[in-house]
Amino acid sequence: MKPQLLPRKSPTQARAKALVAAILDATAQVLVERGYAGTSTNLIAVRAGVSIGSVYQYFPNKDSLISALRERHATDLYDTLDNVLTRRNPQSLEEKLAAIVHGWMLAHQLAPDLHRVVEQEFPFFERVHHDQIPIYRTIVERVRQLLEEHREQLLPKNLDLATWMVLQTIESLIHAAT
């Protein structure tokens, strides 16, 4: 990932983690209300109730805040995926995929306006390829592992292609639905 999209530092103490969470929550609120062009680090700081210095202590710019929001969302999706795949039930590939879709749909419905803004306005923001964000790579690896476990049921036999198709289909359908 490009350096300007990375946070300056990661919080380690509970108070710092709460501060970063408040800043990211404020970023989401301002993005929904004003869109990408109308969002600024000053507005985010005011909404979060913190100084601009506190924002810049963790994030170098608006784009790094948005990138952190995307990573937080991906982490939520991964947690859902992990919960589905570590459960003993459901057992079949169809049941597991249905549970993943259901969980991801719920995750997207928590903040549909934010997802809409991010999906519609990100042409103005340099899109980060999923493989550049570690948590997205982990999601791809877990889905590939799931498909490997059910390889005999798959067409095409190319697991990389099948993984890409499953993830693209789920993402497209959920984004269209929300």
Side-chain angles (χ1 to χ4, degrees):
M1 188 179 317
K2 293 188 174 191
Q4 67 267 24
L5 296 180
L6 295 173
R8 290 184 196 263
K9 67 179 188 174
S10 295
T12 55
Q13 297 179 345
R15 191 177 76 222
K17 288 179 182 180
L19 172 68
V20 168
I23 291 169
L24 291 177
D25 291 343
T27 302
Q29 293 167 9
V30 173
L31 264 175
V32 167
E33 290 172 10
R34 297 177 173 260
Y36 178 81
T39 297
S40 72
T41 53
N42 285 327
L43 288 171
I44 292 166
V46 168
R47 179 62 58 90
V50 301
S51 71
I52 190 69
S54 293
V55 173
Y56 285 132
Q57 179 180 3
Y58 291 96
F59 301 98
N61 54 44
K62 170 173 73 171
D63 291 348
S64 69
L65 285 158
I66 296 168
S67 182
L69 268 181
R70 291 185 69 174
E71 190 156 351
R72 183 168 77 170
H73 173 63
T75 299
D76 292 343
L77 295 180
Y78 175 77
D79 290 345
T80 300
L81 174 68
D82 189 54
N83 287 336
V84 167
L85 296 182
T86 55
R87 270 192 249 138
R88 292 292 168 238
N89 289 323
Q91 291 295 321
S92 74
L93 176 61
E94 292 82 10
E95 289 171 322
K96 288 180 181 178
L97 289 173
I100 291 167
V101 169
H102 177 74
W104 285 3
M105 188 72 177
L106 291 175
H108 281 77
Q109 289 175 340
L110 292 176
D113 293 334
L114 176 61
H115 293 294
R116 180 187 45 74
V117 168
V118 168
E119 289 304 311
Q120 290 178 355
E121 295 202 25
F122 266 82
F124 301 111
F125 179 75
E126 186 177 336
R127 247 199 208 278
V128 175
H129 296 286
H130 286 1
D131 62 347
Q132 293 177 311
I133 299 174
I135 194 70
Y136 280 117
R137 285 194 304 266
T138 305
I139 289 171
V140 170
E141 290 165 8
R142 289 297 300 271
V143 170
R144 190 179 195 289
Q145 179 184 11
L146 169 65
L147 296 178
E148 175 71 44
E149 293 168 8
H150 299 275
R151 182 177 267 251
E152 70 283 349
Q153 299 174 28
L154 299 179
L155 266 177
K157 296 296 181 192
N158 178 331
L159 281 181
D160 292 330
L161 179 58
T163 302
W164 180 86
M165 289 173 66
V166 165
L167 288 170
Q168 289 298 311
T169 301
I170 291 171
E171 182 179 23
S172 296
L173 291 173
I174 288 173
H175 287 166
T178 56

